[in-house]
């Protein structure tokens, strides 16, 4: 009862009381919220009344409100104010939340009720919003494996559990590389071209990192973009740009190449298990494009004229390089610099 995540937020506009929420509150709050959600699901599943929109679909939609609130607070903190402990908690919670979601979507009794309402949807005289909710609810169960046999359900649970951890680790590795990289400059002449305000910001960043008398640039956009736009030192522009495009791809403890292989394999296995040709088909089946071919059709409508225009710009920028008496070929880390010129 002392956990602020489990109490009503008595704050202006009902925002989370971040001053009272501590790291140690998240795991017990999540476990309690899962427990309450399980009870809500059990009540819907065990309802002896004939399944209808209100006692099944609407009740299901309203269930899990506490868990959603707890997860939203944690997600925001993990995204904007993360640290080692928050990331450890995220790893601990990921498989638990994944298992909880599977327990709902693969609940035979619950799906039977949902399907019963769905099959008589034309008789219910629902408004458009309610019909949409019914169709989306039924579709989400089917897409989550509700129609699978018990053996394949267990396989799917294991796949989802692994993916929940791997995708989380992927993001944490990218974040670690982004946070760890620092372009340290100790010679002021290497700052040539940069506005004084950006130089001052880099000086403050250096001080925050215990590097008095130096300047530090990072791959965070407010630091990155001014540097590759204004800095005359081409080698340093290249170094910063490559760090920006390669997080999780540096053959260090944060490398994601093996994780990508495993994620790709598991996604393909899940798609096949659910009857889709590929992961792309699985994802797109509920989106506007519906299939990969349509996505490529959309992309090519943009890509072909964009590539033509980019080629024209490339030629213009390359000519600027030659006019300056240089002979190097225009590269990505030159683009912003010469476009600005």
């Amino acid at each position: 009862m002392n956990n602020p995540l489990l109490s009503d937020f008595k704050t202006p506009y009902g925002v989370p009381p971040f001053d009272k929420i501590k790291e140690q509150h998240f795991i017990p709050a999540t476990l309690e919220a899962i427990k309450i959600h399980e009870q809500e699901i059990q009540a819907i599943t065990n309802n002896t009344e004939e399944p209808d929109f209100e006692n099944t679909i609407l009740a299901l939609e309203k269930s899990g409100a506490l868990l959603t609130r707890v997860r939203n607070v944690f997600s925001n903190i993990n995204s904007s104010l993360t640290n080692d402990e928050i990331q450890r908690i995220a790893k601990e919670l990921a498989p638990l939340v994944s298992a909880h979601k599977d327990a709902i979507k693969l609940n035979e009794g619950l799906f039977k009720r949902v399907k019963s309402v769905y099959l008589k949807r034309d008789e219910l005289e629902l408004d458009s919003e309610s019909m949409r909710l019914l169709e989306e609810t039924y579709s989400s169960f089917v897409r989550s494996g509700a129609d699978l046999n018990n053996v394949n359900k267990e396989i799917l649970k294991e796949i989802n559990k692994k993916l929940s951890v791997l995708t989380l680790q992927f993001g944490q590795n990218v974040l670690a590389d982004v946070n760890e990289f620092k372009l340290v400059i100790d010679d002021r002449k290497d700052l040539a071209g940069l506005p004084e305000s950006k130089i001052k910001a880099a000086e403050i960043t250096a001080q925050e990192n215990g590097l008095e008398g130096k300047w530090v640039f990072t791959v965070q956009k407010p630091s990155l973009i001014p540097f590759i736009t204004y800095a005359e030192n081409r080698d340093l522009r290249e170094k910063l740009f490559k760090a920006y495009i390669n997080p999780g791809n540096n053959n260090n403890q944060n490398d994601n190449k093996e994780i990508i292989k495993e994620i790709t394999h598991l996604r393909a296995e899940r798609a096949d298990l659910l009857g889709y040709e590929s992961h792309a088909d699985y994802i797109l089946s509920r989106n506007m494009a519906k299939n990969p071919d349509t996505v490529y059709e959309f992309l090519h409508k943009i890509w072909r004229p964009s590539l033509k225009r980019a080629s024209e710009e490339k030629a213009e920028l390359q000519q600027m390089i030659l006019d300056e008496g240089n002979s190097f070929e225009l590269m990505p880390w030159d683009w912003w610099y010469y476009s600005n010129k």
Side-chain angles (χ1 to χ4, degrees):
M1 294 303 296
N2 294 325
N3 193 320
L5 288 164
L6 298 176
S7 305
D8 291 336
F9 294 166
K10 297 178 181 179
T11 57
Y13 307 106
V15 299
F18 290 106
D19 58 324
K20 298 178 181 178
I21 297 172
K22 308 301 179 186
E23 293 165 352
Q24 62 266 27
H25 291 141
F26 286 111
I27 291 178
T30 303
L31 293 176
E32 179 64 17
I34 286 176
K35 179 181 176 182
I36 291 172
H37 195 195
E38 288 173 342
Q39 293 170 351
E40 293 169 340
I41 295 300
Q42 186 177 12
I44 298 170
T45 305
N46 295 341
N47 191 336
T48 57
E49 297 178 0
E50 181 73 16
D52 59 29
F53 182 80
E54 282 72 22
N55 67 25
T56 301
I57 307 303
L58 197 57
L60 183 59
E61 175 70 8
K62 292 180 176 180
S63 71
L66 179 59
L67 179 59
T68 298
R69 188 178 74 179
V70 173
R71 294 295 294 162
N72 284 345
V73 174
F74 180 74
S75 176
N76 275 277
I77 290 180
N78 191 27
S79 298
S80 61
L81 200 64
T82 194
N83 56 42
D84 290 344
E85 178 60 12
I86 289 292
Q87 291 187 15
R88 183 198 68 77
I89 292 170
K91 287 180 180 179
E92 183 172 341
L93 290 179
L96 298 177
V97 174
S98 175
H100 174 63
K101 290 178 179 178
D102 282 340
I104 294 173
K105 297 298 185 182
L106 301 178
N107 183 320
E108 291 185 16
L110 180 61
F111 179 58
K112 185 177 180 180
R113 292 183 66 88
V114 170
K115 188 174 183 178
S116 173
V117 180
Y118 178 76
L119 291 177
K120 58 185 180 185
R121 62 192 181 281
D122 294 333
E123 308 165 15
L124 301 179
E125 299 181 353
L126 298 174
D127 58 36
S128 59
E129 290 86 357
S130 298
M131 181 62 77
R132 176 67 172 169
L133 176 59
L134 172 56
E135 292 172 347
E136 283 293 302
T137 301
Y138 175 75
S139 174
S140 70
F141 272 82
V142 174
R143 284 173 55 83
S144 300
D147 273 334
L148 295 176
N149 61 44
N150 289 334
V151 173
N152 285 339
K153 282 181 179 179
E154 292 305 313
I155 295 174
L156 181 61
K157 287 179 184 179
E158 190 61 27
I159 290 173
N160 288 339
K161 178 181 177 181
K162 290 178 180 178
L163 281 172
S164 71
V165 176
L166 287 169
T167 52
L168 180 66
Q169 186 62 57
F170 179 96
Q172 290 185 355
N173 286 350
V174 169
L175 180 63
D177 264 4
V178 167
N179 288 341
E180 288 174 11
F181 179 84
K182 294 176 181 61
L183 176 64
V184 181
I185 296 176
D186 52 17
D187 190 338
R188 190 177 176 89
K189 72 171 186 277
D190 289 329
L191 302 171
L194 284 161
E196 193 60 37
S197 62
K198 303 306 177 183
I199 294 175
K200 182 63 178 178
E203 182 181 1
I204 293 173
T205 302
Q207 292 171 353
E208 291 172 346
N209 285 273
L211 297 169
E212 295 287 341
K214 301 181 187 296
W215 298 268
V216 169
F217 292 86
T218 71
V219 293
Q220 305 285 358
K221 290 294 183 67
S223 182
L224 166 81
I225 292 177
F227 196 89
I228 62 176
T229 301
Y230 299 109
E232 296 175 7
N233 190 314
R234 186 169 186 255
D235 290 338
L236 293 181
R237 289 203 311 268
E238 176 182 0
K239 185 175 182 180
L240 191 61
F241 183 86
K242 286 185 173 179
Y244 169 65
I245 64 172
N246 278 309
N249 187 32
N250 294 299
N251 301 315
N252 56 13
Q253 71 275 13
N254 303 321
D255 198 85
N256 273 331
K257 287 188 280 292
E258 291 303 318
I259 290 179
I260 290 173
K261 289 180 184 178
E262 195 168 355
I263 288 175
T264 303
H265 171 76
L266 289 169
R267 283 177 170 179
E269 186 179 351
R270 179 178 62 185
D272 182 64
L273 196 65
L274 294 171
Y276 293 90
E277 187 173 338
S278 68
H279 176 67
D281 287 281
Y282 167 68
I283 293 298
L284 293 168
S285 65
R286 65 185 303 171
N287 293 347
M288 182 183 73
K290 299 302 181 186
N291 58 68
D293 289 340
T294 306
V295 170
Y296 282 117
E297 182 183 343
F298 289 159
L299 286 176
H300 286 152
K301 286 180 180 178
I302 301 172
W303 178 247
R304 292 188 181 101
S306 297
L307 184 59
K308 180 177 181 295
R309 180 65 189 123
S311 297
E312 294 169 354
E313 291 183 9
K314 178 184 177 183
E316 294 173 11
L317 300 180
Q318 185 65 59
Q319 188 59 50
M320 289 180 65
I321 293 171
L322 297 176
D323 290 344
E324 288 182 348
N326 297 308
S327 59
F328 59 81
E329 180 183 356
L330 178 74
M331 298 299 288
W333 46 90
D334 300 315
W335 199 286
W336 286 60
Y337 180 73
Y338 283 96
S339 292
N340 181 62
K341 280 196 170 188

